[in-house]
């Protein structure tokens, strides 16, 4: 027994004396080595960071109030509309466009006016997507799509063979985009004014559709509200976003504090409507819609277009 213990002890001593084994270092090819500096210290400039000075810093357990990188707590688009609402609204325009450009006679017979509204709305939705502080669908090509559909919106003020062909092409582009393709777009304008993206009247008509024809109907009673809660949330965010757009520089009346005040009241009320709908609070939703309706009505008494 003593002999066995002795042998085991000798084996353990021998193993402990052996140097630890390490994996062989990798052999990098030249194309990988060329990516890195031979000595990073030769390429870096400026004083070294004082890491030692921060070693005693106390880490607070209280979450920081600073918004994450890329977010804007006061003007980020996510405050008014979620990326998924932008995507859903864009997709909803495709069937409508297909009907309007189904034939030249339908388009020339008045369909071009509705097509103009659709194109203008799409241009604004893509413009918001391009600027959104959260990742939005088609964000990488949204600026080019903004200009493509914006031009179609301005051209569709008349129903001609040329505008019909352009409208039909844009309808096909939208369908391709939704299927997962990428239509050709012009080189995006670096700093496009909102008034060059879309005229204001088509946006106002979309806002009236949301507030007067949809939200007012769905909040007529609590049962309808519950049944259409998702639709209410969608339309409220569209309304809030467009109310913000029409206050942007370049549009008529944006230098008028009274008009801008009405638009901001509408934007805030619509945003609150979305929030309380998410909380399934019918009474607060009714109150928020009432404020939105009042802002619209008061504004329409003094402004048109």
């Amino acid at each position: 027994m003593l002999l066995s213990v002795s042998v085991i002890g000798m084996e353990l001593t021998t193993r402990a004396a052996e140097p630890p084994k390490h994996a062989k270092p990798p052999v990098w090819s030249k194309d990988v080595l060329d990516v890195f500096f031979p000595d990073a210290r030769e390429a870096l400039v400026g004083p070294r960071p004082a890491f030692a000075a921060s070693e005693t810093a106390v880490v607070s357990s209280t979450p920081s109030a600073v918004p994450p990188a890329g977010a804007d707590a006061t003007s980020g688009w996510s405050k008014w509309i979620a990326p998924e609402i932008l995507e859903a609204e864009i997709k909803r325009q495709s069937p409508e466009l297909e009907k309007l450009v189904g034939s030249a006679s339908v388009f020339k017979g008045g369909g071009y006016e509705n097509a103009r509204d659709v194109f203008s709305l799409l241009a604004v939705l893509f413009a918001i997507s391009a600027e959104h502080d959260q990742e939005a669908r088609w964000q990488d090509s949204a600026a080019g799509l903004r200009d493509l559909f914006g031009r179609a919106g301005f051209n569709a003020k008349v129903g001609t063979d040329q505008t019909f062909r352009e409208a039909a092409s844009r309808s096909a582009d939208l369908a391709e985009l939704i299927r997962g393709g990428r239509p050709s777009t012009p080189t995006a304008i670096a700093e496009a004014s909102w008034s060059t993206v879309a005229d204001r009247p088509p946006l106002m008509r979309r806002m009236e559709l949301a507030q007067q024809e949809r939200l007012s109907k769905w909040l007529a009673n609590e049962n309808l509200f519950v049944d259409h809660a998702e639709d209410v949330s969608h339309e409220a965010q569209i309304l809030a976003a467009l109310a913000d757009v029409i206050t942007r520089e370049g549009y008529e009346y944006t230098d008028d504090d009274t008009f801008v005040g009405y638009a901001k009241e509408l934007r805030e009320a619509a945003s609150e409507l979305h929030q309380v709908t998410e909380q399934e609070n019918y009474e607060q939703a009714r109150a928020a819609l009432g404020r939105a309706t009042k802002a619209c009505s008061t504004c329409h008494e003094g402004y048109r277009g």
Side-chain angles (χ1 to χ4, degrees):
M1 183 68 177
L2 292 174
L3 179 61
S4 298
V5 172
S6 254
V7 171
I8 293 172
M10 290 176 63
E11 289 179 354
L12 291 175
T13 304
T14 303
R15 290 178 185 176
E18 292 178 356
K21 295 181 179 181
H22 300 282
K24 292 183 179 181
V27 178
W28 303 107
S29 59
K30 186 177 182 300
D31 59 329
V32 174
L33 293 173
D34 287 346
V35 176
F36 301 94
F37 295 109
D39 187 345
R41 292 170 296 184
E42 296 178 359
L44 296 175
V45 296
R48 292 185 178 184
F51 293 116
S54 62
E55 288 179 354
T56 58
V58 177
V59 179
S60 172
S61 60
T62 304
S64 172
V66 179
D72 188 329
T74 57
S75 61
W77 281 110
S78 58
K79 187 174 183 179
W80 314 120
I81 188 167
E84 56 268 25
I85 299 300
L86 289 170
E87 179 183 350
E89 184 69 9
I90 288 169
K91 289 180 176 179
R92 290 179 184 184
Q93 306 313 308
S94 188
E96 180 64 19
L97 265 184
E98 289 177 358
K99 290 188 295 184
L100 295 171
V101 301
S103 70
S105 59
V106 169
F107 183 82
K108 294 179 182 179
Y112 67 89
E113 296 176 339
N114 292 331
R116 177 196 175 203
D117 286 0
V118 173
F119 288 136
S120 300
L121 175 62
L122 284 168
V124 166
L125 295 174
F126 283 122
I128 295 174
S129 298
E131 294 186 355
H132 209 284
D133 48 290
Q134 296 179 357
E135 185 176 351
R137 183 79 183 275
W138 308 301
Q139 194 167 47
D140 58 335
S141 55
L145 292 165
R146 170 202 68 193
D147 297 343
L148 188 70
F149 286 95
R151 183 174 61 192
F154 283 108
N155 291 342
K157 293 177 181 178
V158 295
T160 64
D161 289 334
Q162 183 176 356
T163 57
F164 168 69
R165 287 192 296 270
E166 181 182 22
S169 294
R170 298 295 79 78
S171 178
D173 287 339
L174 182 60
E176 179 188 355
L177 185 72
I178 293 171
R179 287 195 302 267
R182 278 293 188 273
S184 299
T185 60
T187 301
I189 301 172
E191 296 182 7
S193 166
W194 283 91
S195 61
T196 65
V197 171
D199 283 331
R200 188 167 64 92
L203 307 183
M204 299 296 290
R205 286 191 284 272
R206 178 62 181 88
M207 293 166 68
E208 290 177 3
L209 174 67
Q211 184 264 323
Q212 296 180 10
E213 298 184 31
R214 295 179 177 175
L215 292 172
S216 295
K217 179 178 68 176
W218 294 330
L219 273 78
N221 61 62
E222 190 167 1
N223 288 334
L224 284 171
F225 171 71
V226 171
D227 291 342
H228 293 277
E230 187 175 337
D231 297 321
V232 171
S233 180
H234 179 103
E235 290 298 314
Q237 291 182 70
I238 294 293
L239 187 57
L242 294 182
D244 188 82
V245 168
I246 63 172
T247 67
R248 299 300 180 102
E249 186 177 356
Y251 281 125
E252 188 179 11
Y253 304 131
T254 53
D255 58 348
D256 185 324
D257 291 341
T258 302
F259 174 84
V260 172
Y262 290 141
K264 288 184 176 180
E265 287 176 17
L266 173 60
R267 181 189 65 187
E268 299 291 340
S271 181
E272 183 178 345
L273 174 56
H274 156 61
Q275 293 170 21
V276 297
T277 298
E278 294 289 294
Q279 300 165 8
E280 301 179 352
N281 192 317
Y282 175 64
E283 293 303 324
Q284 289 188 25
R286 285 282 298 172
L289 178 61
R291 291 194 294 275
T293 301
K294 181 180 179 181
C296 287
S297 300
T298 308
C299 183
H300 288 169
E301 291 175 2
Y303 304 89
R304 289 292 184 271

